[in-house]
Amino acid sequence: MRLTTAILGLVLTSSAALAQQPEVDAPTLALINGKVLTLDGQSKVAEALAVRDGRILAVGDTATIMALVRNGTRTIDLQGKTVVPGMIDTHAHFRAAGLSGYVVNMSTAKTVADALASIKQFAAKKKPGEWIIGSAWHPPSQLAEKRYLTRQEIDSVAPNNPVYLRTVGHFSMANSLALEKAGVTKDTSNPSGGSFERDGTGELTGLLVETAIEKVEQAVPAWTADDEFRQFKLAEGFLNSFGITSAIEGATSAGEIAALQRVAQAGEATLRVGLMWRPEPPAENAAWEAILKGNGASSGFGDDWLKFAGIKIFYDGGMTLKTALMRDAYPDSHDGYHGVTQQSPERLKQLVSICNRYNWRVGVHVVGDKGIDQVLDAFEAADKEKSIKDRRFILIHGSLILPEQMERAKRLGVRVDFQNVFMWEKAATVERFLGAEIANRAVPTKTLIEKVGLNSLGAGTDFPVNTINPFINMYIMVTRKDPSGRVYGAKEAVSREQALRLYTSAASHYMFEENAKGTIEAGKLADLTVLSADFMTVPEEQIKDIKADLTIVGGKIVFQR
């Protein structure tokens, strides 16, 4: 979409003024007559701000900012609209937003029949033998049948194409041709930390669990470099449309890093990205050490647009998948089932230790309370070898963290970056798998703020597992309601300002960028979002309906509604 000088028809600057060259040191942009929530240390509210060279030049009342305006300054009259710092999603897999047309969309399926119809329609456009890949989705909570598809069902609608359906990273589905391409038969042994699911007769069902996913994933043809470049450009624009100006890419491959670097170097980036690099840990520690030692780079390497945030390691599964590692056995378990891990606690300690040795910060995917125990054990062991206290190691998700674990995290200087939005469409699934008591203590936001401190926390979505919409996420933080209006864990609700800070000022600490962004103050990056309604005063039920009317990154308009 071509950006114009008008936003909602509220531009003051005349076309004659725009035709003139800007004066030296003049602001390039001025926003006036608004409600500017600075979220600075005093939570000041201003009326206007000016931008120059991609940074905020001044913040104040409209008269003060208008006194700075010169020929060539683009001036926008907000007519009372609210301005907040640009939103920061601290955990997303946002490339998925750029896959439209490349994959079959499974996100709208409500029944098994819906899902199969989508695959059949997509397959009709493919030649025999061409792979069909699915978008991320969550069958246990999304489908009326509350189950995954079988390979036989997928075969029935795409008999001539290998089909591979990703879900949320812990389960995938494959049809017969896809399993054949990957060399998986009913006699194939289960890998450590995963399984090729089988029915009562020993036949493969097509469901791949945890590490078994890799066997089929490796057979799927890779996207071309040009594909990945286009996908990330589309994805960045999609996030901008929600007012998001920065995001942490939650598990980034080498190819994805190269594509993001290409976008940035082409000057086409519209989103600031922190990279959680995910190299697959080889079996031998020496090989892992060689990867981490690399060419000397480590966490923090990069610039304002693209920067290494740390190393991503997976540990347990998920509370919405019945795979989070729990202290107590699952309520309906008949064999003492506690969840799964992708490696042993000792192996985790070794991986974390090597990362720490080469100055790589570590973020570990962990959800269950027993899993959190073991990740904190690994962090404590690394800290004894070389202090991690100022390094902001991360519990990624930490959904079922307990108060004593929060205190351990605080002593170590460990962040917790959680996603309240898991309790949107999936709250009932959490309750079904783990019981009402645990569902009500999931994502304990208020207690985390009290125990760990706001600036050691951040809010994300884990998109595409959940919606990328920050206003739905903040609505859940404030109300603890799911779409039906049911409240889960009312005592963990937080204030509106706390919710907004978890997306802005607090979130900026993830990348050690609290002095560069996250608040609206002179000298900071001009990353800003203009809202359709006042977040602080709109009726509570309308928080989820707020939209971004204008998104600005580095002083440039990258989205306008």
Side-chain angles (χ1 to χ4, degrees):
M1 175 175 59
R2 185 176 178 182
L3 298 175
T4 69
T5 57
I7 169 180
L8 309 176
L10 304 179
V11 178
L12 291 182
T13 308
S14 70
S15 58
L18 286 172
Q20 299 181 43
Q21 291 297 316
E23 297 180 18
V24 176
D25 295 331
T28 52
L29 177 68
L31 305 181
I32 62 171
N33 295 323
K35 181 179 180 181
V36 180
L37 305 180
T38 67
L39 296 181
D40 66 3
Q42 291 75 45
S43 299
K44 291 197 293 285
V45 178
E47 287 184 332
L49 62 92
V51 173
R52 185 177 67 204
D53 297 331
R55 292 184 177 268
I56 298 167
L57 175 65
V59 182
D61 57 35
T62 293
T64 299
I65 298 305
M66 283 301 296
L68 301 174
V69 169
R70 298 290 184 271
N71 290 336
T73 300
R74 185 178 190 177
T75 305
I76 298 175
D77 185 341
L78 297 169
Q79 295 189 356
K81 294 277 186 180
T82 298
V83 184
V84 298
M87 302 287 175
I88 303 169
D89 189 314
T90 60
H91 186 76
H93 307 279
F94 67 85
R95 177 185 168 192
L99 290 175
S100 176
Y102 289 87
V103 300
V104 55
N105 181 11
M106 306 299 293
S107 65
T108 59
K110 299 299 182 185
T111 65
V112 167
D114 289 346
L116 294 175
S118 294
I119 298 167
K120 184 175 183 178
Q121 184 178 12
F122 197 83
K125 304 172 187 175
K126 292 284 188 177
K127 297 175 182 177
E130 288 186 325
W131 279 80
I132 295 172
I133 310 300
S135 69
W137 62 316
H138 193 267
S141 65
Q142 187 175 319
L143 300 183
E145 294 85 353
K146 307 298 181 188
R147 67 170 176 85
Y148 297 94
L149 307 183
T150 68
R151 68 178 173 89
Q152 293 88 349
E153 287 172 327
I154 304 170
D155 288 346
S156 73
V157 292
N160 302 314
N161 300 86
V163 180
Y164 177 64
L165 305 176
R166 299 182 175 97
T167 57
V168 296
H170 303 275
F171 291 83
S172 290
M173 288 152 282
N175 73 343
S176 298
L177 270 177
L179 293 172
E180 180 183 319
K181 295 276 187 184
V184 176
T185 71
K186 67 178 183 179
D187 299 319
T188 302
S189 299
N190 288 333
S192 175
S195 64
F196 302 104
E197 291 292 280
R198 294 167 170 84
D199 62 21
T201 68
E203 292 292 334
L204 294 167
T205 67
L207 184 63
L208 314 169
V209 183
E210 297 292 357
T211 55
I213 293 171
E214 297 166 16
K215 179 76 172 175
V216 179
E217 188 94 34
Q218 289 167 3
V220 178
W223 304 118
T224 68
D226 285 345
D227 286 337
E228 292 188 331
F229 177 77
R230 285 191 294 269
Q231 289 162 6
F232 272 117
K233 280 187 60 180
L234 288 169
E236 291 190 2
F238 179 76
L239 267 64
N240 296 152
S241 74
F242 288 92
I244 299 169
T245 58
S246 295
I248 304 300
E249 233 300 335
T252 324
S253 69
E256 289 170 328
I257 293 170
L260 281 162
Q261 184 178 18
R262 183 179 166 192
V263 173
Q265 288 178 335
E268 298 183 37
T270 60
L271 185 78
R272 304 187 194 278
V273 181
L275 301 166
M276 289 301 291
W277 179 27
R278 188 197 174 191
E280 285 296 334
E284 299 297 326
N285 283 349
W288 176 248
E289 185 163 0
I291 292 171
L292 273 295
K293 186 176 180 181
N295 60 6
S298 60
S299 300
F301 182 80
D303 58 22
D304 289 336
W305 287 105
L306 190 63
K307 186 181 298 183
F308 277 117
I311 297 295
K312 170 72 171 288
I313 297 175
F314 280 90
Y315 193 56
D316 71 348
M319 63 179 178
T320 66
L321 301 167
K322 204 175 179 179
T323 51
L325 185 64
M326 302 298 295
R327 290 178 178 180
D328 298 326
Y330 279 76
D332 62 352
S333 169
H334 302 295
D335 56 358
Y337 173 73
H338 289 260
V340 301
T341 62
Q342 295 202 20
Q343 61 259 327
S344 69
E346 187 54 40
R347 171 69 165 156
L348 177 66
K349 286 181 180 178
Q350 293 167 354
L351 297 176
V352 172
S353 173
I354 294 170
C355 290
N356 188 36
R357 190 179 310 157
Y358 292 100
N359 298 316
W360 282 102
R361 177 169 59 153
V362 179
V364 180
H365 166 114
V366 63
V367 175
D369 47 25
K370 185 174 181 179
I372 293 168
D373 285 335
Q374 294 174 353
V375 173
L376 289 172
D377 288 345
F379 285 174
E380 286 177 348
D383 182 62
K384 290 176 182 176
E385 298 170 349
K386 177 180 175 180
S387 177
I388 69 168
K389 288 187 174 61
D390 297 321
R391 308 267 301 288
R392 303 180 191 176
F393 278 40
I394 314 150
L395 297 177
I396 298 172
H397 306 306
S399 307
L400 299 175
I401 192 169
L402 295 165
E404 69 267 22
Q405 295 171 324
M406 300 176 197
E407 292 166 1
R408 287 181 71 188
K410 183 175 179 61
R411 287 195 296 271
L412 287 165
V414 167
R415 291 183 57 81
V416 184
D417 285 275
F418 48 77
Q419 301 83 36
N420 287 77
V421 73
F422 269 105
M423 303 305 290
W424 186 235
E425 295 173 331
K426 301 178 180 67
T429 302
V430 176
E431 183 175 6
R432 187 168 82 249
F433 288 159
L434 289 161
E437 182 181 350
I438 291 179
N440 277 295
R441 74 169 176 85
V443 201
T445 313
K446 184 176 181 181
T447 305
L448 276 161
I449 292 172
E450 293 169 351
K451 296 283 187 182
V452 182
L454 189 67
N455 288 336
S456 292
L457 306 171
T461 57
D462 204 14
F463 176 84
V465 180
N466 305 300
T467 176
I468 197 72
N469 191 329
F471 304 103
I472 288 177
N473 204 0
M474 288 188 283
Y475 168 80
I476 299 164
M477 294 183 215
V478 172
T479 68
R480 301 289 296 195
K481 290 181 181 179
D482 75 355
S484 72
R486 179 170 174 183
V487 175
Y488 287 85
K491 67 180 182 179
E492 293 297 342
V494 301
S495 72
R496 297 188 194 207
E497 181 173 332
Q498 287 171 326
L500 190 55
R501 285 186 178 276
L502 286 167
Y503 256 103
T504 55
S505 62
S508 69
H509 288 252
Y510 193 115
M511 293 293 296
F512 296 83
E513 292 178 325
E514 57 267 29
N515 294 322
K517 63 186 180 185
T519 63
I520 299 177
E521 298 178 86
K524 290 197 171 182
L525 294 167
D527 297 352
L528 309 159
T529 305
V530 179
L531 305 182
S532 63
D534 184 355
F535 179 83
M536 299 303 292
T537 63
V538 72
E540 192 174 82
E541 285 302 314
Q542 294 178 22
I543 292 173
K544 64 183 181 300
D545 302 318
I546 294 174
K547 293 178 171 32
D549 276 346
L550 188 72
T551 306
I552 298 168
V553 182
K556 295 181 179 180
I557 296 172
V558 297
F559 171 80
Q560 64 183 56
R561 189 166 301 285

